[in-house]
Amino acid sequence: MKKLQMVDLRSQYLNIKTEIDKGIQEIIDSCAFINGPAVQTFQKSLEQYLGIKHVIPCANGTDALQVSMMALNLKPGDEVITTSFTFIATAEVIALLQLTPVLVDVDPSTFNIDPQAIQRAITPKTRVIVPVHLFGQAAPMEEIMEIARKHNLYVIEDNCQAIGSDYIFDDGTMKKAGTIGHIGCTSFFPSKNLGCYGDGGAIFTNDDDLAKQMRVVVNHGMTVRYYHDYIGVNSRLDSIQAAVLNVKLSHLDEYAAKRRAAADFYDQAFAINPKLITPARYAKSTHVFHQYTLVAKETDRKALIEHLTDKGIPAMIYYPVPLHMQKAYLDPRYKPGDFPVTEHLCETVFSLPMHTELEQDQLEFITSSVLEFLNP
Ligand SMILES: *Cc1c(COP(=O)(O)O)cnc(C)c1O
């Protein structure tokens, strides 16, 4: 059996080596390292794939979130509502821009932001909602957009974990996750569902004015060469990363199918076990399984993870600490107990290896090792 990893980037590379090596070599030969044709090709292909008018490539997913907020003309103290159960980047950029993060709890089955909790958190200072499509499944966007319309708020989708997921509206129409709000953000960090070989990110929007403004922000606030009308940042996707992404975008749907097949295998193995809750499927979104995350019930999670580690099976906790209990984000507005669902999840969830190259014998070994611990 091949060695188990949370994400096996090497095996994936070996399957697309010819295309990747050719793409990277072409960039080196052309020396068009920044903003070369590969970046433009990728931008167009991603616009087409997502069915969106504008894709603005940038340096990483964190920048994508920051640039989105910089383009919205917000002022210090404006409130941004987001989830207490996410990767830190979401809240980090809010704090960096001197906006006020307002946290809300999540749905216990999908782990995604709870629209009713959003509704309760709205104040006259609220300007933006940032739902995170956690672990590969979209948040309830129809409800969120309805709240945003009612209160005249912007919606920025943190789609760093769910690129390729389809959102199915009540009337049966579909849109890609990340293209429903005013702005969508994604990351091309190597282990993400569409990962490059370094750092990368992108912003999506259908709004011409926002797109224009975000293109200015990512390029030092420059409107005409060496004329700077805004304070911006330097955030670029480089051509070598774009070359990798051009290859991997053409495999994205096939990769999602492979992740789903692995998830189905896990689901079946764990279905009737009373000590595990398998990931819920939200009816309005296809799941692209950035992570396969279980809830351990009345089980010693730490001992389970140690048992797996001893057998060479990596298992991770995404995320061990709720945002309001992170040292840098401690805030007199919040105390332990304020977000009971998030706090419970941080104490009970764990994620098993999930990637595009999982093999049958590996899946069997992982599931039998988990079950051996639960039912000795
Ligand atoms: C990965 C991730 C980010 C940040 O992306 P980077 O490219 O690492 O900056 C932001 N939000 C979520 C939910 C993520 O998973």
Side-chain angles (χ1 to χ4, degrees), residues 126-371:
T126 310
R127 298 293 310 279
V128 187
I129 306 170
V130 184
V132 178
H133 304 320
L134 203 71
F135 301 152
Q137 189 162 238
M141 286 306 294
E142 244 166 326
E143 286 95 320
I144 292 170
M145 294 311 290
E146 185 53 41
I147 295 170
R149 259 190 297 275
K150 219 166 66 192
H151 297 272
N152 201 20
L153 308 173
Y154 285 110
V155 174
I156 300 174
E157 293 171 73
D158 181 341
N159 195 33
C160 291
Q161 300 190 1
I163 195 156
S165 165
D166 289 306
Y167 188 91
I168 305 123
F169 288 81
D170 280 340
D171 66 5
T173 55
M174 292 206 294
K175 277 189 186 174
K176 290 285 182 199
T179 68
I180 302 159
H182 302 87
I183 302 176
C185 297
T186 205
S187 163
F188 305 124
F189 185 78
S191 64
K192 300 284 158 110
N193 287 39
L194 178 59
C196 58
Y197 288 177
D199 273 310
I203 315 166
F204 334 130
T205 188
N206 279 315
D207 184 312
D208 296 339
D209 295 330
L210 280 177
K212 196 171 153 205
Q213 187 61 18
M214 293 191 289
R215 284 188 208 288
V216 169
V217 173
V218 295
N219 191 23
H220 300 290
M222 187 161 83
T223 41
V224 176
R225 182 166 273 218
Y226 304 127
Y227 289 78
H228 304 271
D229 292 1
Y230 304 90
I231 296 175
V233 294
N234 167 25
S235 191
R236 296 185 280 244
L237 179 74
D238 71 70
S239 304
I240 288 183
Q241 301 313 330
V244 171
L245 290 166
N246 279 326
V247 174
K248 288 181 65 170
L249 179 58
S250 67
H251 293 279
L252 185 59
D253 287 340
E254 161 206 330
Y255 286 162
K258 286 181 168 176
R259 287 170 177 274
R260 265 184 220 116
D264 288 346
F265 187 94
Y266 283 141
D267 275 355
Q268 274 177 24
F270 302 140
I272 51 162
N273 199 293
K275 292 180 182 166
L276 292 176
I277 304 175
T278 55
R281 306 295 198 279
Y282 173 47
K284 291 167 87 176
S285 163
T286 58
H287 205 322
V288 292
F289 286 98
H290 177 58
Q291 300 296 347
Y292 186 86
T293 301
L294 295 141
V295 177
K297 263 172 52 185
E298 289 144 41
T299 301
D300 184 345
R301 176 179 66 170
K302 189 159 170 273
L304 168 59
I305 292 175
E306 271 164 22
H307 169 83
L308 296 175
T309 311
D310 286 346
K311 307 194 96 182
I313 302 169
M316 296 288 287
I317 297 171
Y318 304 113
Y319 295 93
V321 183
L323 285 192
H324 68 293
M325 288 158 74
Q326 293 284 1
K327 197 169 156 197
Y329 292 81
L330 292 176
D331 185 313
R333 288 176 301 153
Y334 300 124
K335 58 182 187 311
D338 282 354
F339 304 104
V341 179
T342 296
E343 290 169 37
H344 174 72
L345 292 173
C346 290
E347 281 161 15
T348 53
V349 290
F350 68 101
S351 302
L352 292 174
M354 174 50 74
H355 55 80
T356 58
E357 315 299 318
L358 277 163
E359 291 171 1
Q360 192 71 15
D361 58 345
Q362 294 180 308
L363 288 165
E364 279 165 14
F365 182 66
I366 296 166
T367 51
S368 63
S369 303
V370 171
L371 294 172

